[in-house]
Amino acid sequence: MYKLAKNVILIIAAMAARDAFAYDYSARFNLGIYTIKEDLKNTGIAPTSNDRMLGIGRAYSDLTNLTSSGLTFTMDVRNQYDPFGRIEPSLGRMAASNDAQLRQLVLRTPPTRQGFFWSVGRFVAADAVVLGNDGVEGGIRFNPNTRFGLFGGLYPEHRGGRSLKIAKEERQVGTYAVFEENSKAGENNTYASSSIVSRKSVDGVGSFDNPAVRRGGSILVGNETAPPDDAPVDNYVFWYANAFRQRAGGQRISYISHIIVQPTAQIRNLWASWYQPFAQRLSGTVNVFHLDLRSYQQFRDLLDRLPISGYSQIGGDLRFKLSNQMALVGDTSYGRRDVDGRNQYGLGGRLVTTGLLRSHLTAFAGLGVRRNFLSQDVVLRSGATYYLQESAFSASLQYTSQTLADRPALHPLVADFDVSMLINRSLIGAFAFEVAQDEQASIYSALLSIGYRINNRQATPIRDETPKLERVL
C-alpha cells in the first residue's frame, strides 16, 4: 500500500510540473452511491422489499504525446462495493463484496499518423469492436483513409467483469480493416470497419460470450437454437461490422453488427438506421435492430416482466418542423421476442420544442398507444431540460394505462429527475432520482456522484443554452 501511494503521489507531482515536460495529461476521479428501494404490495408472499445499495468508484488518467510519435499511456480502474453482494455459505447470510475492475492499462502509439502503430497491455480494440484484450496490437496506416491491424492475447470479459484473473481468460486473436474519409468542410463523412475475432474457451470457465450459452433463437443458418449446454464449444469466431455515412444534404446511414460465424451462423446484435430529409421541413428515420439476451436486459422497458429473450424490432418516425424551435414527431414500431413469439406494436406522437425562456429550456410532450406483449397500453409522456451556464436540470414523467386480459388494470407512473453541476473548473457533481409505482409495487432509486478532474488541455465547452432543434429530435 505504501508503494502504491508513493507512486500515485509521484504521478500527480509529475502532472503538476507540466512546464518541465512536453506531454499532455488528464485525469478523472469519480465516487458515487447508488441506492434502490422496492416495496411489493398485496402479493401475499415474503419478502415484501428488495433493497440494494452500491458504492461506485473510478480513476482514469492518460498521458499523451510522450514522444514525437505520439506515445500514449492510459489507465482506467473501476470499483463496485456491494454490502450484500455475496453469499457466505458458512454463515448462511449475505456478505459484502468488492468488485475491482481494471478496464485499461496500455502503452500505445495511436493510428493517427501514416506508418506503423502498436499497443501493449490491457486495452479496448475499438476498431474491432472488442471491449478488452490483454496482449498486443500492431498495424499500419497505409494512407490518410485506410489502416489495417492485428491483435492477440487474452479476453477479460467473463461474466461481465474485467478482473485480473488471467488464468480464467479466453485466448483470442483478431484482425480488422478500417476506411474513413472526411471532407474539408466536414459535411461528408464516411467510416467503415470490419473485423474477425477468434476465441478459445478455458476449461471449466463459462463465458457469457460463448455460443454454447442458450440465447433464444436468432439463427441464420443451422438449428433453432445455439448448441445445447451439454455440447460445449471450445473455439468460436465472431464477425463485427461497423459503418457510418453522412452526406452534405443531410442523409445519414448507420450500421453495426455482431455475428457468430462458428460454430453456426447466428446474429448476436444488429442495428441499422437511415435518416432522410424529404423537404426543408420534413424528414424521417427508419431503423431495424436485433438484440441478444444481455442487450435485451438493458434495453427493455421497466414494465416488461417477461423472461429475457432475443428480440427484433423495426420502426421509424416522421418529423415536421413547425418552426426553428418547434416540431411534430410521429413514430411507430413492431417488435417480436424470439423465445415465445410474443410481439408488440405501437403508434405515437409528440411535440418537441427548444430555445424557450431565453434559450434555456427544451421540452416535449406526447401520447402513444401500444399493443404490448401482455396488455393494451395508453402512454402519456412529457419532459423538460433547463440549461444554465454551469448546470443542467432535467425531469420527465410517464403515465401508462395498462389493460390486461386476465388481471385487473394497472396504472404505472414513472417520474425521474436529475441535475448535473460544474462546481468549479475541477469539481463536478450529479444527482439523479427516479420513482416508479403501480398497484403492485413501488420502486425508488437514487444516484449521487462527485468527480474531480486534472488536465492541462482545453476544458470541454459548457452548454449554457439549449441545443438546436435538430439535436433534440
Side-chain angles (χ1 to χ4, degrees):
M1 180 62 71
Y2 171 76
K3 288 184 177 180
L4 177 60
K6 181 180 178 181
N7 290 335
V8 171
I9 292 172
L10 289 175
I11 291 174
I12 294 175
M15 288 180 175
R18 54 165 297 201
D19 293 336
F21 300 91
Y23 60 78
D24 296 323
Y25 63 82
S26 70
R28 301 191 301 271
F29 305 93
N30 298 86
L31 293 174
I33 297 177
Y34 173 75
T35 180
I36 181 170
K37 179 177 178 59
E38 180 177 351
D39 294 323
L40 304 178
K41 305 173 185 178
N42 305 320
T43 62
I45 58 175
T48 59
S49 65
N50 184 21
D51 304 341
R52 194 179 184 192
M53 178 178 289
L54 299 175
I56 305 168
R58 181 185 183 186
Y60 174 92
S61 64
D62 65 56
L63 306 174
T64 60
N65 297 320
L66 292 169
T67 64
S68 59
S69 62
L71 185 67
T72 298
F73 171 78
T74 303
M75 180 179 67
D76 186 355
V77 181
R78 307 183 191 187
N79 190 74
Q80 179 175 291
Y81 174 78
D82 188 341
F84 304 100
R86 178 174 58 89
I87 299 176
E88 186 63 60
S90 61
L91 300 178
R93 65 183 186 187
M94 304 296 291
S97 67
N98 197 66
D99 180 19
Q101 297 182 1
L102 178 64
R103 294 296 183 99
Q104 292 190 75
L105 185 65
V106 55
L107 192 67
R108 71 194 323 168
T109 56
T112 55
R113 308 179 186 185
Q114 193 163 326
F116 292 97
F117 59 89
W118 56 268
S119 305
V120 60
R122 172 170 288 187
F123 56 88
V124 177
D127 288 325
V129 202
V130 173
L131 294 179
N133 184 73
D134 289 344
V136 296
E137 175 187 35
I140 182 172
R141 178 180 281 274
F142 298 105
N143 53 54
N145 305 121
T146 310
R147 62 182 180 271
F148 172 82
L150 297 166
F151 65 92
L154 304 176
Y155 177 60
E157 294 299 312
H158 287 297
R159 303 184 182 93
R162 296 176 180 85
S163 64
L164 285 174
K165 299 176 181 178
I166 303 265
K168 294 185 177 182
E169 295 181 6
E170 296 177 326
R171 286 170 282 179
Q172 73 174 354
V173 62
T175 180
Y176 61 87
V178 177
F179 174 83
E180 55 185 338
E181 185 177 42
N182 302 313
S183 65
K184 292 182 178 180
E187 295 179 339
N188 286 289
N189 302 287
T190 301
Y191 174 89
S193 69
S194 184
S195 63
I196 293 288
V197 181
S198 175
R199 297 197 181 115
K200 181 175 176 57
S201 298
V202 177
D203 291 340
V205 178
S207 169
F208 191 89
D209 283 318
N210 194 318
V213 178
R214 291 184 179 275
R215 305 190 177 281
S218 314
I219 292 298
L220 289 176
V221 179
N223 301 322
E224 183 181 355
T225 60
D229 298 334
D230 57 357
V233 176
D234 295 328
N235 295 280
Y236 49 99
V237 179
F238 295 123
W239 172 37
Y240 298 92
N242 186 12
F244 174 84
R245 172 63 171 164
Q246 170 77 50
R247 292 188 174 182
Q251 184 188 75
R252 184 170 59 249
I253 300 173
S254 305
Y255 174 86
I256 186 168
S257 64
H258 175 184
I259 295 174
I260 299 172
V261 177
Q262 181 184 326
T264 58
Q266 177 183 1
I267 297 177
R268 277 286 293 277
N269 287 294
L270 182 147
W271 180 82
S273 175
W274 178 17
Y275 169 76
Q276 178 68 52
F278 301 111
Q280 185 176 2
R281 293 179 178 271
L282 183 65
S283 62
T285 302
V286 175
N287 58 72
V288 59
F289 61 83
H290 175 82
L291 306 176
D292 71 349
L293 300 185
R294 181 189 296 182
S295 299
Y296 177 82
Q297 177 82 336
Q298 299 168 347
F299 162 83
R300 67 175 176 171
D301 189 271
L302 181 66
L303 303 178
D304 182 356
R305 299 178 175 87
L306 293 171
I308 60 174
S309 165
Y311 178 74
S312 301
Q313 179 173 303
I314 184 171
D317 63 54
L318 282 176
R319 312 169 185 185
F320 182 76
K321 290 178 62 175
L322 301 172
S323 68
N324 289 332
Q325 293 181 303
M326 188 175 299
L328 286 171
V329 181
D331 60 78
T332 185
S333 64
Y334 172 84
R336 184 180 184 276
R337 289 164 47 90
D338 293 340
V339 70
D340 52 23
R342 295 183 182 274
N343 57 54
Q344 67 171 357
Y345 47 89
L347 182 68
R350 64 186 185 274
L351 177 68
V352 181
T353 183
T354 188
L356 304 178
L357 299 183
R358 297 182 179 181
S359 295
H360 289 302
L361 180 68
T362 180
F364 75 92
L367 169 69
V369 292
R370 178 176 59 194
R371 193 313 188 165
N372 213 335
F373 299 119
L374 299 174
S375 62
Q376 300 281 351
D377 301 344
V378 177
V379 185
L380 298 173
R381 296 188 182 96
S382 63
T385 302
Y386 188 80
Y387 298 89
L388 291 176
Q389 185 172 359
E390 297 179 346
S391 59
F393 302 84
S394 296
S396 67
L397 185 69
Q398 175 179 305
Y399 172 80
T400 305
S401 176
Q402 196 171 50
T403 304
L404 300 103
D406 54 353
R407 286 180 291 173
L410 298 176
H411 302 87
L413 178 68
V414 180
D416 60 71
F417 169 81
D418 66 81
V419 56
S420 56
M421 183 176 299
L422 184 64
I423 301 172
N424 56 45
R425 177 180 170 83
S426 301
L427 204 59
I428 304 171
F431 173 75
F433 176 78
E434 181 178 78
V435 56
Q437 60 181 13
D438 61 13
E439 289 82 354
Q440 295 182 338
S442 296
I443 304 172
Y444 306 89
S445 60
L447 173 66
L448 175 65
S449 68
I450 189 165
Y452 183 78
R453 64 182 183 183
I454 309 169
N455 69 73
N456 69 334
R457 302 169 187 164
Q458 183 177 358
T460 303
I462 300 172
R463 178 178 293 281
D464 60 354
E465 61 181 24
T466 59
K468 294 182 178 180
L469 184 62
E470 288 76 12
R471 298 289 183 92
V472 177
L473 293 175

